[in-house]
Amino acid sequence: MTTVAYQGEPGANSHMAALEAYPGAETLACATFEDAFTAVTSGAADLAMIPIDNTVAGRVADIHVLLPDTSLQIVGEHFLRIRFSLMGVPGATLEGAREVHSHVHALAQCRGFIRAHGLVPVVAGDTAGSAREVAEWADPAKLSIAPPLAAERYGLTVLASGIEDEKHNTTRFVVLARPRPYPQAGTDQFVTSFVFRVRNIPAALYKALGGFATNGVNMTRLESYMVEGRFAATVFMVDVEGHPDEPALARALEELAFFSTELRVLGVFPAHPRRFDANTAAPRTPGSGGRTGD
């Protein structure tokens, strides 16, 4: 049976993503992202379900540093629609509550509901962890904002559902595994994820990225971050639609490598159907260049 590691306590969104993507799999809760990576590296788990970005909060902190340093490979992605519920111990009421506990991002994403009901937000380390704590405290004046699964897990009563401010709230997860051969080109619609560092010359980034435009390769993610404590040492993390064995992407990567001092592919994996729903772009035909991104 497949075992999927995730960061967080049972009932967290990462737990829900693992169960949604791999029904029937065993799951392994880990305290940190590094622990989830280690679980896969050591063989304690087969896969790791790791959040990478969110439509409201943006990039998940630390991921841009951890992914390039791990020996693991991205083998898939999963999109989870984020839904938060307000929950308390049996007998608790919204009118009688004073505090609401959750992760800082969950509190921020439910700010309107919290303000409308005059609750005092209290930051917890984890959404599901806050639900566990509320259950342990057994204080009806203290509530939790957490995924619906947490209420089932900790025996809490759901007082309100879907309280997130933005109904498009979605998190994209990447699935990591020990290194394996890339899937064969032409069998699916693929995403290639990689990091690169450009040569320190004028217009290097412009020239490096030009090959994606001229070859019609759609770039869906481009983020930069500094490394080695130097403002001039910039690494870029990129997702593009396509497979490295397809001629268009192969040519673009060759041009990129010419202007780069470092280029490392993090993974080649099938595109999740939600990727095209979110982008409102027509799905590309395997082997074609796709459209040029903004």
Side-chain angles (χ1 to χ4, degrees):
M1 178 180 291
T2 300
T3 300
V4 184
Y6 65 91
Q7 185 277 325
E9 297 198 28
N13 280 314
S14 294
H15 187 193
M16 293 184 64
L19 294 175
E20 189 174 282
Y22 300 95
E26 291 186 358
T27 55
L28 177 63
C30 299
T32 66
F33 292 131
E34 293 94 328
D35 290 342
F37 291 174
T38 299
V40 178
T41 303
S42 67
D46 302 294
L47 305 170
M49 181 68 69
I50 303 296
I52 190 167
D53 43 37
N54 175 269
T55 56
V56 177
R59 182 175 65 194
V60 175
D62 298 333
I63 290 302
H64 63 294
V65 175
L66 297 174
L67 278 179
D69 287 343
T70 181
S71 63
L72 300 179
Q73 178 181 322
I74 302 176
V75 298
E77 65 178 354
H78 186 73
F79 289 75
L80 179 71
R81 169 70 168 83
I82 302 301
R83 293 179 172 85
F84 287 118
S85 295
L86 183 73
M87 56 193 72
V89 295
T93 64
L94 184 53
E95 294 73 21
R98 296 190 306 273
E99 298 176 357
V100 60
H101 298 248
S102 196
H103 187 274
V104 61
H105 286 168
L107 294 172
Q109 292 171 24
C110 301
R111 185 180 293 112
F113 183 92
I114 294 171
R115 185 185 302 115
H117 292 86
L119 298 171
V120 177
V122 180
V123 175
D126 182 77
T127 53
S130 74
R132 175 184 52 78
E133 290 175 336
V134 164
E136 293 173 350
W137 293 328
D139 184 348
K142 296 180 178 180
L143 305 180
S144 166
I145 289 177
L149 182 61
E152 301 176 20
R153 182 84 186 192
Y154 302 109
L156 299 178
T157 299
V158 173
L159 304 179
S161 300
I163 64 172
E164 61 277 2
D165 294 336
E166 302 292 343
K167 300 311 175 186
H168 62 71
N169 193 341
T170 300
T171 295
R172 184 172 77 98
F173 293 78
V174 289
V175 181
L176 301 178
R178 293 181 289 280
R180 61 177 68 170
Y182 297 146
Q184 185 176 356
T187 59
D188 212 333
Q189 296 167 324
F190 289 99
V191 175
T192 297
S193 182
F194 57 90
V195 292
F196 72 94
R197 186 186 305 196
V198 294
R199 295 161 55 191
N200 192 18
I201 60 175
L205 180 60
Y206 173 81
K207 295 172 182 177
L209 297 182
F212 295 95
T214 56
N215 286 284
V217 176
N218 187 33
M219 184 175 293
T220 61
R221 174 189 177 94
L222 173 64
E223 293 193 72
S224 63
Y225 58 96
M226 288 176 288
V227 294
E228 302 169 355
R230 296 161 50 204
F231 287 99
T234 303
V235 173
F236 297 87
M237 183 178 292
V238 181
D239 285 349
V240 296
E241 293 176 1
H243 192 291
D245 290 341
E246 296 172 0
L249 183 52
R251 289 192 296 267
L253 290 174
E254 182 180 5
E255 190 166 340
L256 172 65
F258 180 80
F259 291 102
S260 301
T261 59
E262 177 185 345
L263 172 60
R264 181 191 166 201
V265 175
L266 302 177
V268 179
F269 50 93
H272 191 277
R274 283 291 306 274
R275 167 177 289 273
F276 302 112
D277 293 343
N279 289 347
T280 66
R284 55 187 300 281
T285 302
S288 71
R291 65 182 180 87
T292 301
D294 296 331

